[in-house]
Amino acid sequence: MVQPETLQHAANAPSAPIIAVIPAFNEERFIASVVLKARRYVDHVLVVDDGSQDETAWLAEAAGAEVIRQPNGGKAAALNNGLAAAQARNAAAVVLLDGDGQHNPNDIPRLLEPIQRGAADLVVGSRFMGLPSNTPRWRIVGQHALTALTNVASGVPLSDSQSGFRALSRRALSLMNFTSRGFSVESEMQFLLRQHNLQALEVPISVHYDEKLKRNPFAHGLQVLTGILRLVGQHRPLFFFGATGVIAILIGLALGASVISTYNMYSSLALGTALIAITLCIIGVFAIFTGIILHTIRAYMSER
Ligand SMILES: Nc1nc2c(ncn2[C@@H]2O[C@H](COP(=O)(O)OP(=O)(O)OP(=O)(O)O)[C@@H](O)[C@H]2O)c(=O)[nH]1
Ligand SMILES: [Mg+2]
């Protein structure tokens, strides 16, 4: 049964509501309790269900959520539509949380607080700020690796770049539109923070990993990794192509030096190595020029 104070909270919803957006795909075991608990802290809950084959949508609605149904397009597409719907409903702030029970809705006020006092545009619930959790150790290693890569690539440091439990200000809501497909969407937010000069903060959250694995963790990690590389090319081409070019040139020069020293010692030319060295230097120069051109185009487009 829906708690009376929950209904009262919804009835008193202000004209600019706080909205929770929950992407959910085949989450019938958890979605109703996540929605009910979230409703204690927000004015409206939007569940984005794209083609679940179970009772996710029905249960979410029965628990008091508005359900957006769409063809399956992955988590990023679900979030894009959920955030657009929240914006259309004039949201003052949005909380993103997962529908699989890993996030604790009781943490929602802690995420919203910095937004409500105007201290941040994006608040990330970090699993690595001291609160206890039963995250398996190997997952922690993977999460730290992806966080380190996202931090270096985006230039925005966070302790947990992969957490899906987040709160967004109205300003962030208007600027977050993801081009990622699937699970690199959290990393993309970090690139967008930098692009739009948004302020980020982290607060501690607890998480629960009691369920068995849903997908191959290596395939999942690889998908996020390729997503991050794509984002670097899109958002920081000078960094991406420039660094690649410099590395290629340095390797080419090292090989070239070894060709010269071999020639000086034995008077014999290592033709194969020399060709590789020259090719690497040419590729390096091209990469740097590509980075400069893409960077210039990007700067020109963002000025318009
Ligand atoms: N609408 C929608 N939701 C999705 C899709 N894929 C994942 N989700 C939801 O996004 C949330 C996070 O997805 P998970 O599969 O739990 O990803 P994760 O938490 O990184 O991985 P685990 O640690 O294995 O749980 C959950 O609520 C999922 O139901 C999708 O294609 N469409
Ligand atoms: Mg999950």
Side-chain angles (χ1 to χ4, degrees):
M1 204 183 85
V2 179
Q3 293 184 355
E5 73 267 25
T6 306
L7 291 174
Q8 200 183 352
H9 185 70
N12 293 339
S15 57
I18 307 284
I19 297 182
V21 172
I22 307 177
F25 185 70
N26 291 338
E27 302 289 7
E28 66 178 3
R29 291 178 58 207
F30 304 98
I31 194 67
S33 69
V34 173
V35 168
L36 282 170
K37 287 179 188 167
R39 286 183 64 204
R40 282 195 198 138
Y41 306 107
V42 300
D43 302 304
H44 192 63
V45 177
L46 283 168
V47 169
V48 188
D49 174 4
D50 47 1
S52 290
Q53 282 127 20
D54 64 6
E55 302 277 20
T56 298
W58 185 85
L59 284 161
E61 258 164 7
E66 178 186 352
V67 176
I68 300 172
R69 293 175 174 85
Q70 61 186 59
N72 190 257
K75 186 180 173 188
L79 287 185
N80 269 338
N81 284 351
L83 291 183
Q87 213 181 347
R89 285 153 188 73
N90 190 31
V94 165
V95 178
L96 302 176
L97 75 161
D98 289 354
D100 61 358
Q102 282 172 350
H103 299 145
N104 183 351
N106 293 336
D107 288 333
I108 289 176
R110 199 176 316 132
L111 273 100
L112 282 173
E113 191 272 331
I115 303 269
Q116 285 168 328
R117 69 182 154 87
D121 296 300
L122 178 74
V123 179
V124 177
S126 170
R127 296 164 284 190
F128 307 120
M129 290 177 81
L131 286 190
S133 83
N134 61 350
T135 314
R137 190 166 295 221
W138 60 269
R139 274 191 194 233
I140 295 179
V141 172
Q143 288 159 356
H144 279 312
L146 292 173
T147 291
L149 185 68
T150 306
N151 288 352
V152 171
S154 68
V156 175
L158 292 178
S159 70
D160 187 0
S161 75
Q162 301 304 301
S163 169
F165 200 1
R166 292 162 178 240
L168 285 78
S169 69
R170 188 197 283 268
R171 176 151 179 259
L173 184 59
S174 69
L175 295 169
M176 293 282 163
N177 189 22
F178 311 116
T179 58
S180 296
R181 297 168 62 83
F183 291 93
S184 43
V185 63
E186 279 82 17
S187 294
E188 185 167 6
M189 285 189 213
Q190 234 160 295
F191 284 83
L192 291 169
L193 281 177
R194 182 189 165 96
Q195 180 181 341
H196 298 295
N197 207 11
L198 297 172
Q199 184 66 38
L201 269 181
E202 291 184 285
V203 297
I205 56 160
S206 54
V207 277
H208 302 281
Y209 284 93
D210 295 328
E211 295 301 303
K212 62 179 180 354
L213 282 176
K214 290 180 214 158
R215 66 182 76 80
N216 182 321
F218 295 104
H220 180 80
L222 204 63
Q223 196 200 78
V224 178
L225 188 69
T226 46
I228 294 170
L229 292 180
R230 190 191 61 79
L231 287 165
V232 182
Q234 184 185 333
H235 286 263
R236 304 186 72 194
L238 193 54
F239 174 75
F240 180 65
F241 287 100
T244 311
V246 168
I247 290 169
I249 289 172
L250 288 178
I251 297 173
L253 289 178
L255 289 178
S258 90
V259 170
I260 291 169
S261 83
T262 309
Y263 185 77
N264 285 342
M265 274 196 275
Y266 307 109
S267 298
S268 95
L269 182 65
L271 195 58
T273 315
L275 283 177
I276 294 173
I278 292 167
T279 310
L280 280 173
C281 288
I282 293 172
I283 289 173
V285 170
F286 268 113
I288 291 172
F289 272 114
T290 306
I292 292 170
I293 291 167
L294 288 178
H295 175 79
T296 312
I297 293 173
R298 208 177 160 272
Y300 176 72
M301 303 280 280
S302 60
E303 267 171 24
R304 303 183 70 200

